[in-house]
Amino acid sequence: MQRQLILSRQHWQEMRAHVDRQVPLEACGLLAGHGDRVEHVLLVRNQAQSPVRFVMDPYEQLQAFDWLDAHGLDLVGIFHSHPTGPDMASATDIAEAAYEVVHLIWSYGASEWHVRGFWIEGGRASEVPLQILE
Ligand SMILES: [Zn+2]
């Protein structure tokens, strides 16, 4: 399990703008980097086009993985949104988690987006603190 994930305010803003644009649908994407450090945000289309579920567009996901290889970066996180909550990994998220990376869940609370990180393993999700560098 990873103990933390470090990202910049710009990465935070890129993800936030993407999840906000896709409302009312869930949005998703990948985080590239090394270890616990995010270096780049990759936006991926939600093929499911659903407000309650996401499926990464397989072609865009493949392109994103090629981009990681070409830039010598690893997959360090996956993010998606819950436009109508909850602010944690759902049973579906836990069941479908396919990569051992930090899963970031964006949820819309009373009036603003917020994001939490989770490590999903063995059928459960544990919170991973996110450090946002200003
Ligand atoms: Zn979810």
Side-chain angles (χ1 to χ4, degrees), residues 77-134:
I78 294 176
F79 72 93
H80 74 280
S81 63
H82 290 169
T84 54
D87 69 346
M88 57 186 67
S90 68
T92 304
D93 295 335
I94 291 171
E96 295 185 353
Y99 299 95
E100 291 197 346
V101 297
V102 179
H103 293 258
L104 283 75
I105 311 281
W106 284 85
S107 61
Y108 197 82
S111 60
E112 182 54 282
W113 287 102
H114 58 119
V115 61
R116 294 172 73 188
F118 298 92
W119 187 264
I120 298 174
E121 194 176 348
R124 62 191 205 98
S126 314
E127 184 147 21
V128 175
L130 303 177
Q131 280 205 40
I132 296 159
L133 304 178
E134 301 297 339

